[in-house]
Amino acid sequence: MESKHILEVRNLKKYFTVKTDFWGRPAACLKAVDDISFNISRGETLGLVGESGCGKSTTGRTIIHLYKPTAGEILFDGKAIDSLSAEKQLRRAMQMIFQDPYASLNPRMTVGDIIGEPLDIHGLASGSGRADRIAELLQMVGLNPGYASRFAHEFSGGQRQRIGIARALAIEPRFIICDEPISALDVSIQAQVVNLLEHLQEKLGLTYLFIAHDLAMVKHISTRVAVMYLGKIVEIAGSTELYNKPQHPYTQALLSAIAIPDPLVESKRQRLLLTGDLPNPINPPSGCRLRTRCHCAMPRCAEQEPALIDIGAGHMAACHLHPGH
Ligand code: SF4
């Protein structure tokens, strides 16, 4: 039977050794991703949000095996990705769109070769079939098929991101990790790229993990949203529920930082600000990692780490303020 979830992440950890001792053994580790679990259902978009350095991009790169997990399990279509053959299958089913459309496209390659490269690697098309497929992909992302002979540097940021999306779609993946795909773009272009991703999702039945540093960016596209802080997921809920009833002090602070376009409402708002800087992830605070910046912190928060638990109808939060902790 087909698994309900296209992706299951169980107790995933990704540590980077930043210092070794005299004998070359790890002496200090950066715990970029520290024991996180979540699922993504077919056809949904999970938004993954947090400040820079919270581990969200490392999560995406570990899922797609650009980084080897330190511990934990990643299941795709109900099967563990724990062998080379499973990884090869994954390369076709899962693709990634990167943040910086300027850096992620080779400036010496034509647009046609950038999009056609995955077709060559997987032996999926050649000759006129390859050219037809490239033209089809360019049209699919709203670009003129005649652009195939031009170079990426001739295009704007938004157009380059469309080229990156066409490349990701070339081998017909079912799951795409979008790693901050709109953060480097002008605000006026961001909505166009989000609309394109939504249109493609509907047309091709895609599932997305959509990574962003700002809750405002994922609001429109996400079915559910997971919020990360210092390597941990602190809250997961349906998108509307999370925006209307945030339960974790960190999510509340992130939402409070989003400007409201109405000047009257904006002037009357009370902002919940996080105090201080993001602690060093090599040596995170004991107990709850937010406690050094949380306006609700109490003595227990320094002693005991709150687990991520269901606080009602699938809304999960990791905070001692909630019953059950
Ligand atoms: Fe704040 Fe304590 Fe909740 Fe952490 S557990 S978010 S420090 S109240």
Side-chain angles (χ1 to χ4, degrees):
M1 202 177 77
E2 197 180 56
S3 159
K4 178 187 166 216
H5 300 118
I6 195 164
L7 185 85
E8 292 165 64
V9 173
R10 295 182 187 159
N11 306 105
L12 185 69
K13 293 182 183 176
K14 179 61 199 168
Y15 297 172
F16 296 98
T17 302
V18 289
K19 201 170 144 198
T20 51
D21 65 11
F22 180 76
W23 292 276
R25 294 175 304 203
C29 276
L30 190 155
K31 297 181 177 179
V33 176
D34 198 10
D35 199 356
I36 64 167
S37 301
F38 62 89
N39 300 321
I40 305 184
S41 299
R42 280 166 218 290
E44 82 163 340
T45 299
L46 178 73
L48 185 60
V49 178
E51 288 166 288
S52 173
C54 71
K56 56 192 189 301
S57 286
T58 305
T59 301
R61 282 157 196 254
T62 310
I63 290 171
I64 205 166
H65 277 226
L66 285 176
Y67 298 145
K68 195 173 181 313
T70 304
E73 232 185 345
I74 301 162
L75 284 90
F76 189 74
D77 271 340
K79 292 187 206 100
I81 306 164
D82 54 4
S83 66
L84 208 60
S85 61
E87 260 192 74
K88 272 190 188 160
Q89 281 176 5
L90 181 83
R91 296 256 171 264
R92 276 207 60 184
M94 205 187 273
Q95 285 290 298
M96 194 154 183
I97 300 168
F98 295 93
Q99 173 181 5
D100 188 351
Y102 293 87
S104 61
L105 305 178
N106 188 334
R108 284 184 289 276
M109 287 168 80
T110 63
V111 168
D113 283 338
I114 288 170
I115 298 171
E117 193 178 44
L119 297 173
D120 303 337
I121 292 168
H122 293 272
L124 293 177
S126 60
S128 63
R130 181 181 186 272
D132 289 347
R133 177 73 177 136
I134 291 166
E136 184 193 16
L137 286 160
L138 281 168
Q139 264 176 332
M140 214 185 265
V141 297
L143 293 175
N144 186 330
Y147 290 171
S149 56
R150 290 166 59 174
F151 289 88
H153 67 81
E154 298 174 46
F155 296 93
S156 67
Q159 287 173 320
R160 287 187 211 209
Q161 195 53 286
R162 285 174 192 263
I163 296 166
I165 294 169
R167 180 185 159 95
L169 293 175
I171 54 173
E172 299 180 32
R174 288 176 290 131
F175 177 66
I176 299 184
I177 297 173
C178 309
D179 186 10
E180 303 226 32
I182 56 171
S183 304
L185 303 177
D186 286 350
V187 177
S188 57
I189 308 295
Q190 288 178 350
Q192 292 175 17
V193 173
V194 166
N195 289 343
L196 172 67
L197 287 168
E198 282 186 320
H199 167 73
L200 292 168
Q201 179 171 45
E202 212 175 285
K203 186 172 170 187
L204 305 172
L206 298 166
T207 305
Y208 295 140
L209 174 64
F210 194 99
I211 299 168
H213 59 261
D214 182 337
L215 271 166
M217 279 184 191
V218 296
K219 185 175 184 184
H220 187 55
I221 196 167
S222 303
T223 324
R224 288 183 305 136
V225 177
V227 181
M228 268 188 99
Y229 183 76
L230 268 189
K232 298 272 184 192
I233 290 182
V234 297
E235 186 163 7
I236 308 183
S239 186
T240 313
E241 165 92 4
L242 188 107
Y243 286 90
N244 292 340
K245 294 180 200 156
Q247 295 299 315
H248 195 280
Y250 182 61
T251 314
Q252 289 164 355
L254 287 184
L255 279 171
S256 140
I258 298 173
I260 292 175
D262 183 333
L264 200 67
V265 180
E266 181 66 20
S267 65
K268 288 184 186 153
R269 276 173 89 203
Q270 249 199 335
R271 291 211 186 278
L272 276 173
L273 294 177
L274 290 170
T275 51
D277 296 326
L278 197 68
N280 185 347
I282 297 168
N283 189 18
S286 63
C288 175
R289 293 184 181 190
L290 187 68
R291 71 173 169 82
T292 52
R293 303 171 77 193
C294 178
H295 63 283
C296 306
M298 46 199 160
R300 183 184 171 196
C301 303
E303 289 151 21
Q304 204 184 349
E305 187 181 328
L308 184 69
I309 59 163
D310 195 329
I311 54 171
H315 190 147
M316 302 185 81
C319 174
H320 291 311
L321 290 173
H322 298 291
H325 272 100

